Amino acid sequence: MRATTKLFAIFGDPVTHSISPLMHNYALKGLGIDACYTRYRLREGALLRQKFFELKLQGVNVTVPHKEAAYKACDEIRGIAQKIGAINTIHLEKGKMIGYNTDAPGFLKSAKRFGEINRVCILGAGGTARALAVAFAEHGTAVSLLNRSSGRLDFFKEQGLQTYTWDMWPGGSFDLVVNTTSAGLLDDTLPAPREILEPLLRESSYAIDVIYNTHTPFIALAEKLGVPVKDGSEMLLFQGVYALELFLEKRYSEARLLPWMQKAFTR
Ligand code: NDP
């Protein structure tokens, strides 16, 4: 690697499963840019800042479980990430770590491809739910949160959003139901009891599971009920497009970047 070669990475734990290095390296190669994107297993979030500078990185993406730690590690936070309190993209600018959240606009872009979303029901209350809820609320979408426990719902209540635990769920119809829980990632569980999910999906227009590359029980149920559904691949692609634009300090058309990044899903 030449001295001028830019180096980017993804930090997470675990991180071996991530296809971000493939996505970004295909795009960097396609663009003819002298840069490389690697992965780094970061066990302790508290070491994020030190590792970023030690590895001489120009930018990183951050995945589970370090998105909140990344928020704290940055010198400056820009855009919607300030409200979300979690970031997935850091770019080095004049020696400073600048943090962004590209998960939120990435998801919105994917959701809007279904159609207009005026009412959304988000299953789960973790970091991804926060990003999606803040992004939807900023666009004037009515947001309801449904989580198995109450502990993490306070953040959403403070934003003035409707929050429910399973036992309090009143039912309702939505344009979109999103699974942001990890139910179905490594097991065969649904993100909420079937008695809640079946009527919820029947009454709703579209469904998305943010988990990607896995045919989850949530996706299977939506398909069985005839609800148009997609997984988190598109969200991953779009957050990657936005992150790469920040890394390279340049806007590209999606039509240019997506075909290269999509190659990561077809290997
Ligand atoms: P968090 O750990 O922050 O939150 C997990 C949430 O899921 C919590 O609300 C938790 O409920 C709930 N939950 C976990 N297991 C179950 C279960 N078995 N049944 C019901 N609820 C459950 O996770 P993240 O928000 O960081 O990530 C969530 C998922 O999103 C992951 O699978 C991740 O891979 C995916 N993701 C995909 C992206 C993409 O680009 N496609 C981007 C980012 C994330 P409780 O509060 O009760 O514990």
Side-chain angles (χ1 to χ4, degrees):
M1 210 161 33
R2 291 197 300 276
T4 53
T5 304
K6 285 185 176 175
L7 185 61
F8 303 104
I10 180 159
F11 282 172
D13 186 17
V15 77
T16 43
H17 68 286
S18 173
I19 66 165
S20 287
L22 264 181
M23 267 172 40
H24 286 274
N25 284 322
Y26 276 132
L28 289 165
K29 193 174 168 210
L31 291 168
I33 289 174
D34 184 15
C36 177
Y37 186 115
T38 186
R39 68 183 88 225
Y40 183 83
R41 184 180 178 194
L42 183 72
R43 289 185 171 84
E44 283 183 59
L47 295 180
L48 191 147
R49 190 178 170 89
Q50 185 188 324
K51 282 292 161 199
F52 182 86
F53 285 107
E54 252 177 45
L55 296 169
K56 298 192 180 355
L57 297 167
Q58 298 296 307
V60 281
N61 286 124
V62 182
T63 187
V64 181
H66 300 313
K67 290 183 187 182
E68 280 87 5
Y71 180 88
K72 290 183 192 140
C74 286
D75 295 297
E76 188 185 328
I77 306 292
R78 291 200 187 141
I80 198 169
Q82 293 173 1
K83 216 166 170 186
I84 296 168
I87 64 157
N88 73 319
T89 302
I90 301 173
H91 179 234
L92 184 70
E93 207 179 289
K94 293 180 186 153
K96 291 190 170 171
M97 290 169 69
I98 313 294
Y100 303 86
N101 189 305
T102 69
D103 282 335
F107 183 84
L108 276 196
K109 176 92 188 170
S110 173
K112 282 179 179 169
R113 283 188 153 190
F114 265 142
E116 201 177 329
I117 310 294
N118 295 314
R119 284 168 55 79
V120 64
C121 173
I122 298 176
L123 308 172
T128 309
R130 277 187 186 216
L132 272 46
V134 169
F136 273 121
E138 281 210 341
H139 281 76
T141 300
V143 181
S144 293
L145 269 296
L146 175 60
N147 197 41
R148 67 178 171 189
S149 61
S150 61
R152 298 202 225 192
L153 290 174
D154 289 345
F155 169 86
F156 303 92
K157 278 185 205 151
E158 284 160 19
Q159 310 280 321
L161 306 178
Q162 299 292 323
T163 63
Y164 305 95
T165 49
W166 294 348
D167 51 337
M168 305 287 284
W169 180 243
S173 66
F174 296 86
D175 298 310
L176 176 67
V177 181
V178 191
N179 175 33
T180 73
T181 79
S182 35
L185 181 63
L186 300 171
D187 53 35
D188 60 357
T189 57
L190 284 165
R194 187 174 287 271
E195 309 82 78
I196 290 179
L197 278 184
E198 282 204 8
L200 174 60
L201 285 168
R202 272 204 184 93
E203 290 290 314
S204 301
S205 307
Y206 310 109
I208 299 181
D209 196 325
V210 298
I211 293 170
Y212 59 90
N213 279 353
T214 305
H215 194 254
T216 62
F218 177 77
I219 289 181
L221 182 61
E223 283 172 348
K224 190 182 129 200
L225 298 174
V227 181
V229 63
K230 60 185 162 189
D231 74 359
S233 307
E234 236 180 39
M235 171 189 183
L236 186 73
L237 275 171
F238 288 129
Q239 66 76 30
V241 167
Y242 298 140
L244 193 60
E245 287 182 336
L246 290 166
F247 290 158
L248 301 178
E249 299 176 30
K250 192 170 173 180
R251 297 295 297 268
Y252 292 92
S253 70
E254 272 157 31
R256 190 145 182 234
L257 290 187
L258 280 182
W260 289 316
M261 289 193 160
Q262 268 163 337
K263 281 174 73 177
F265 289 86
T266 53
R267 285 180 82 249

